């Protein structure tokens, strides 16, 4: 899933580079579609985290359901604020996308290596 997210950021990075090189202004609908796509991938990540977190528990024993939802909500809020308030104004869209690509690809590699053990 993180490899897919990294690939999605690579696609965005290429789109931004292409738009800058050829002075192309993408339509607003394209940005809405791309935003919805990354939203779906992140939503799948939350579902996968729930499945992994509750894998060893019985159906009736789920007292931490609110805790994992609160952690996801806090993390997404802080991530959105950090990127939109600090990273994009300080580094620009191109370097921010590159940073997100590197972080997600590195996390995918770590998870792949850990899964092999």
């Amino acid at each position: 899933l993180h490899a897919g997210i990294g690939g999605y950021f690579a696609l965005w990075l290429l789109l931004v580079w292409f738009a800058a090189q050829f002075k192309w202004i993408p339509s607003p609908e394209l940005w809405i579609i791309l935003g919805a796509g990354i939203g779906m991938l992140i939503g799948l990540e939350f579902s996968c985290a729930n499945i992994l977190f509750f894998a060893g528990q019985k159906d009736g024993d789920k007292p931490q359901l609110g805790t994992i939802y609160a952690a996801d909500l806090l993390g997404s809020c802080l991530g959105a604020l950090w990127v939109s308030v600090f990273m994009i104004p300080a580094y620009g869209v191109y370097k921010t996308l590159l940073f997100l690509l590197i972080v997600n690809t590195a996390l995918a590699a770590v998870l792949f290596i850990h899964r092999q053990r």
Side-chain angles (χ1 to χ4, degrees), residues 1 40-53 72:
L1 199 56
M40 284 189 275
L41 284 173
I42 299 302
L44 282 171
E45 186 178 31
F46 176 70
S47 298
C48 289
N50 277 328
I51 290 169
L52 292 173
F53 189 73
D72 181 67

Side-chain angles (χ1 to χ4, degrees), residues 23-102:
K23 298 187 184 359
W24 171 61
I25 300 174
S27 67
E29 292 83 13
L30 178 65
W31 297 115
I32 292 170
I33 291 168
L34 288 173
I38 195 68
M40 284 189 275
L41 284 173
I42 299 302
L44 282 171
E45 186 178 31
F46 176 70
S47 298
C48 289
N50 277 328
I51 290 169
L52 292 173
F53 189 73
F54 294 120
Q57 296 181 359
K58 298 176 193 166
D59 285 339
D61 298 337
K62 294 187 180 176
Q64 299 95 353
L65 189 58
T67 305
I68 196 167
Y69 182 73
D72 181 67
L73 189 60
L74 178 66
S76 62
C77 180
L78 291 176
L81 280 173
W82 181 258
V83 167
S84 63
V85 173
F86 297 109
M87 290 195 68
I88 291 176
Y91 301 110
V93 173
Y94 188 78
K95 287 183 182 177
T96 301
L97 285 172
L98 187 61
F99 171 75
L100 292 171
L101 168 68
I102 291 169

